[in-house]
Amino acid sequence: MTQNPLDTLSSTSFDDFPYVRPDMEHLSRVFEQHLTSFGQSASAVAQAEALAAIVAVREEFSSMYNLCYIRHTANTADPFYEAENQYFDEQSPSFEALNNKLYKALLSSKFRDTLAKKFGEHLFVLAEVSLKTFNPSILEDLQQENALSTEYTKIKARARIEFDGKSYNLSSLLPVELSNDRETRKRATEAKWQFYADNAPEVETIFDGMVKLRHSMAQKLGFKSFTDVGYARMRRSDYCPEMVAKFRKQILEHIVPIASSLYERQRVRLGLASLKYYDEDYKFASGNPKPIGTPEEIVANAAKMYQELSPDTDVFFKRMQDARLMDLVNRDGKATGGYCTYIPKFEAPYIFSNFNGTSGDIDVLTHEAGHAFQVWSSKSFPLEEYHWPTADAAEIHSMSMEFFTWPWMHLFFGDQTEKYRFMHLAGAIQFLPYGVAVDEFQHLVYDQPDMTPAERDQVWRELEKKYLPHRDYDGVAHLEAGRFWHKQSHIFNSPFYYIDYTLAQICAFQFWVKDRQDHKSAWADYLRLCQAGGSSSFLNLVKLANLKSPFEDGCVQSVVGEIQAYLNSVDDSRF
Ligand code: ZN
C-alpha cells in the first residue's frame, strides 16, 4: 500500500524522505498521455484535471531532483548521489522539453480565459517567457552547459589550501582571512588567491566554453545575444536591459560615493595608511563581531527569535527543526556556499550552509530562512511556478528578513550587537557597487562573445575601477590582471542572476526604513509579499508590498538619506 506523503509530513524527517530515481522513459510517457488528454479536453474542467495530473508528475520529478541535489551537495564524495546528480544533469533538459510542451499547450488552450481565472494570468506570462529559452535543437547544448557548471563547482569544492601547516577548504579558510593579525590576513588571502591563480587556466577555459555555448544557443533560439536568453531564463517579464542600465547608474551616482566613504571610515578606524583588498572584510581592529555559542545554541536562539517575531515564523521554524531541514555546519567534502531549496512532495524547505564561526553564520539563519519562510508561506499554491517568485523578488524576502530580525541580534552578538548592525548595513551598501559590476560584466561579456579570456579580465578590471574605486590589490598580479571574478560562482552557474540581489537590496532597504517607523504595517506588507509567492511579476509584487520600484528615478536616492543618517549616528571609533 502506498502511503500518502501528506499523512507523514509532520512526523517524517529529512533523512527518511525516500529517494527514488525518476524513470525518465516512464515519466515521459505518462506526461505525454496527460498532455494529449489536455489537448483533447472538451471542457475547461477536463483540462484543469489533466493539468492537475501533469502537476503531480512534475512534482515527483522536481522533488527527487531537489532531494538528490541536497544529498549530493552535503557530501560530494558520495558515489551514489554523484551518479544520481549526473543522471539529473543528463535528464533535466528532457524534462524541460516536456515542460515546454505543456507551456505550448497552455498558450494554445481553447479555455485559456477560464484556466487563467483559476490559476492566474501569470502562469501564461511565465509560459511565454519560458518558451523563448528553449527549443529541442539546444538539448545537447544544455546538457553540456550543465556539465561545465558542475566542473566549475567541483574545482572549488576540492580546494585544499595549505596554510601554516594546516589544510583548509575555501569555507574553513575564511576565518583565517579575517584574522586580527594583519600579516596572517594578508598571507591567508594570498593563499586563497594562489589557489585561484593555479586554477585560472582551467576556470577560464570552462568560462570561455560557457560563453561560446551560450551564444550559440541564443542564436539557435533566434536572439542576437545570450543576454536576451539570460533575461528570459530569469523569467523577467516586466523590465529590460535598458532599465537595468539606468538602475546601475543610480547605484553609481548615489551609492558608490557612500561606499567609498565607508571604506575611508574603515581605514581611519583601523589606523592604516592604506586599506588593502585583504583588509576590506576586516571591519574592526577589535575583530569582526563573532556569533556567541555552539551551532546548537545558535539554532535554539533562532527558534526563540522566530517565535517572538510572529506566529507564522514560529510554526515555520519549528517545522524546520523537527524535520531536520537544515544542514548548517561546514564539513570536508560538502559543497561550498549556502542555499535554500524546496521539496514540494514533502512540503519541505531546506537550508544548506557552511557555518564557520563568522557573523555570516547568522546571515544564513536570517537570509536563507527568509527564502525558506517565503516558500513555506506559498506552499498551498498547487502550481510549482508559484512556489517561488523570480529571484529579484525572492531576494526581497531573504534580505528583508535580515532586517526584520535586527531586534533579536543581541541573542547572537551580545554586547557586539550595535557593531554587527553597523557592519550589516554598511556591508549592504558596500555590496551594491560590486553587485552591479558583476551584472555589467555579464552584459559586456555576452555582447562580445568573441573576446579572449585576457580581454574579459581587462573588462572586469575596468569595471572595478568604475564601481570600486577604493580597491587596492597591493600589486598581486593575478588580481591586477582582472581575475577576481573567477570566485563569483553566479557568473558561471547562474548568468544574469546577480543584479537581482541589488534590486532586492534596494527593496529590503525600504522595508528597513518602514519597519523602524511602523513594525506592524511593515510586517503585514512583508507577509503579504511572502504569501503571494511567485504568482505575479517582479514589479507587481513590489507594488503589492507597497514598495517603490527600484527602476523609478529617485528610488535609490529615497532610501540612502535614512541609511546615511543611521550610519553617521554610530560612533564607530568605539568598535
Ligand atoms: Zn538569497
Side-chain angles (χ1 to χ4, degrees):
M1 208 174 79
T2 50
Q3 243 183 342
N4 177 356
L6 291 172
D7 291 339
T8 58
L9 271 184
S10 51
S11 58
T12 313
S13 103
F14 177 79
D15 292 337
D16 305 321
F17 292 172
Y19 172 80
V20 182
R21 180 194 276 204
D23 175 350
M24 234 9 233
E25 222 172 282
H26 175 72
L27 184 150
S28 302
R29 208 165 43 241
V30 175
F31 202 121
E32 298 269 12
Q33 277 164 6
H34 294 313
L35 271 177
T36 309
S37 338
F38 182 90
Q40 292 168 350
S41 293
S43 70
V45 175
Q47 260 199 345
E49 269 169 25
L51 181 58
I54 293 172
V55 165
V57 173
R58 293 195 315 177
E59 185 185 272
E60 178 66 21
F61 181 88
S62 71
S63 296
M64 291 307 119
Y65 169 82
N66 283 305
L67 196 50
C68 166
Y69 183 79
I70 295 165
R71 290 180 179 162
H72 173 60
T73 50
N75 179 8
T76 53
D78 177 340
F80 177 78
Y81 283 107
E82 164 141 40
E84 292 307 294
N85 188 59
Q86 208 181 337
Y87 178 74
F88 277 108
D89 271 0
E90 289 157 15
Q91 299 304 331
S92 293
S94 315
F95 181 72
E96 273 310 294
L98 287 168
N99 236 350
N100 274 276
K101 282 189 185 172
L102 169 64
Y103 286 154
K104 271 187 197 148
L106 278 171
L107 290 172
S108 56
S109 162
K110 283 178 284 189
F111 308 107
R112 179 173 163 163
D113 290 348
T114 317
L115 290 179
K117 272 199 195 102
K118 188 170 162 64
F119 296 104
E121 181 57 38
H122 194 54
L123 174 65
F124 295 89
V125 173
L126 289 173
E128 230 159 282
V129 180
S130 297
L131 285 179
K132 289 185 186 172
T133 67
F134 182 81
N135 81 43
S137 70
I138 64 163
L139 205 86
E140 272 177 35
D141 296 337
L142 289 170
Q143 287 167 344
Q144 210 185 326
E145 188 186 17
N146 274 342
L148 286 169
S149 281
T150 303
E151 244 181 84
Y152 171 78
T153 305
K154 271 191 186 165
I155 290 178
K156 286 173 70 171
R158 69 169 186 237
R160 287 292 167 274
I161 297 159
E162 299 303 322
F163 185 75
D164 285 354
K166 276 180 78 179
S167 177
Y168 295 88
N169 61 31
L170 286 168
S171 293
S172 61
L173 188 65
L174 261 172
V176 193
E177 291 181 70
L178 293 173
S179 166
N180 285 328
D181 177 54
R182 196 180 191 204
E183 194 53 31
T184 306
R185 220 152 63 218
K186 178 177 192 281
R187 289 190 303 110
T189 310
E190 280 171 0
K192 176 182 76 184
W193 284 107
Q194 190 54 49
F195 160 77
Y196 280 106
D198 294 343
N199 287 279
E202 207 178 330
V203 166
E204 296 213 315
T205 304
I206 290 172
F207 191 63
D208 194 57
M210 280 177 163
V211 171
K212 301 227 151 75
L213 189 63
R214 285 170 181 161
H215 183 70
S216 111
M217 280 193 267
Q219 295 200 311
K220 288 180 195 170
L221 293 167
F223 293 106
K224 196 173 109 252
S225 87
F226 179 73
T227 304
D228 302 306
V229 183
Y231 273 57
R233 278 189 185 179
M234 295 302 297
R235 305 284 185 266
R236 290 174 189 159
S237 57
D238 52 7
Y239 61 94
C240 59
E242 290 70 28
M243 289 162 82
V244 173
K246 280 190 186 160
F247 171 73
R248 291 197 303 260
K249 203 160 157 258
Q250 287 189 63
I251 299 295
L252 183 63
E253 275 171 23
H254 300 290
I255 302 287
V256 171
I258 305 177
S260 295
S261 74
L262 283 166
Y263 285 116
E264 175 56 15
R265 268 172 93 172
Q266 185 177 346
R267 185 192 67 75
V268 172
R269 203 162 61 221
L270 295 174
L272 301 172
S274 64
L275 189 83
K276 304 292 185 191
Y277 75 109
Y278 52 80
D279 298 317
E280 279 189 23
D281 293 332
Y282 179 77
K283 301 294 178 187
F284 310 100
S286 52
N288 289 350
K290 283 199 173 88
I292 307 161
T294 61
E296 292 74 22
E297 287 163 340
I298 288 174
V299 171
N301 277 326
K304 179 175 159 59
M305 169 174 81
Y306 285 121
Q307 186 189 10
E308 290 172 8
L309 177 58
S310 79
D312 301 280
T313 50
D314 183 29
V315 174
F316 151 75
F317 201 75
K318 286 208 168 93
R319 160 93 169 122
M320 296 299 287
Q321 283 183 290
D322 293 345
R324 304 171 66 85
L325 299 174
M326 297 181 278
D327 177 0
L328 303 174
V329 182
N330 175 239
R331 292 185 304 272
D332 267 349
K334 212 172 144 172
T336 55
Y339 64 79
C340 168
T341 189
Y342 182 62
I343 314 168
K345 185 174 176 177
F346 304 106
E347 295 190 350
Y350 195 90
I351 298 176
F352 178 96
S353 72
N354 283 280
F355 273 16
N356 56 14
T358 66
S359 61
D361 298 356
I362 305 308
D363 301 338
V364 167
L365 283 170
T366 55
H367 181 99
E368 299 302 341
H371 285 308
F373 177 65
Q374 176 268 304
V375 73
W376 168 259
S377 305
S378 314
K379 65 186 184 305
S380 53
F381 284 114
L383 294 170
E384 273 185 58
E385 278 81 357
Y386 294 171
H387 287 162
W388 302 99
T390 43
D392 36 25
E395 296 301 339
I396 303 176
H397 307 119
S398 52
M399 291 175 157
S400 303
M401 185 65 99
E402 294 176 25
F403 289 129
F404 277 115
T405 52
W406 261 32
W408 287 270
M409 284 302 112
H410 60 280
L411 294 175
F412 307 103
F413 294 104
D415 58 6
Q416 300 211 308
T417 302
E418 199 189 355
K419 192 178 181 180
Y420 170 76
R421 289 189 187 130
F422 176 84
M423 186 177 90
H424 179 205
L425 194 58
I429 287 284
Q430 287 168 317
F431 169 74
L432 289 167
Y434 176 71
V436 301
V438 168
D439 180 64
E440 193 163 323
F441 178 67
Q442 297 179 84
H443 282 87
L444 294 169
V445 161
Y446 293 109
D447 277 353
Q448 306 162 69
D450 293 326
M451 275 196 283
T452 63
E455 283 167 337
R456 284 186 201 118
D457 293 344
Q458 204 186 334
V459 164
W460 173 256
R461 192 68 189 103
E462 275 158 24
L463 288 170
E464 284 182 327
K465 286 175 181 162
K466 177 174 168 186
Y467 289 107
L468 310 167
H470 68 282
R471 182 156 287 180
D472 178 351
Y473 281 132
D474 200 26
V476 172
H478 181 65
L479 295 166
E480 294 287 1
R483 295 190 189 130
F484 185 92
W485 62 273
H486 287 192
K487 84 176 190 90
Q488 194 56 61
S489 58
H490 297 72
I491 294 175
F492 297 81
N493 299 344
S494 316
F496 292 101
Y497 191 112
Y498 223 60
I499 196 69
D500 291 18
Y501 289 118
T502 66
L503 295 169
Q505 186 67 71
I506 295 299
C507 294
F509 281 156
Q510 296 181 57
F511 269 128
W512 177 76
V513 172
K514 286 176 171 213
D515 192 39
R516 293 162 64 79
Q517 288 161 353
D518 177 358
H519 170 73
K520 224 177 137 188
S521 81
W523 182 259
D525 285 342
Y526 176 77
L527 191 61
R528 194 180 329 110
L529 180 68
C530 288
Q531 288 166 345
S535 62
S536 205
S537 67
F538 175 65
L539 290 177
N540 285 334
L541 288 169
V542 163
K543 203 184 283 173
L544 180 77
N546 288 323
L547 302 171
K548 238 184 241 159
S549 157
F551 302 118
E552 213 176 280
D553 258 344
C555 176
V556 171
Q557 203 178 4
S558 78
V559 289
V560 296
E562 188 96 12
I563 292 169
Q564 244 178 326
Y566 178 89
L567 291 171
N568 290 339
S569 76
V570 177
D571 174 14
D572 58 318
S573 66
R574 295 182 297 116
F575 295 150

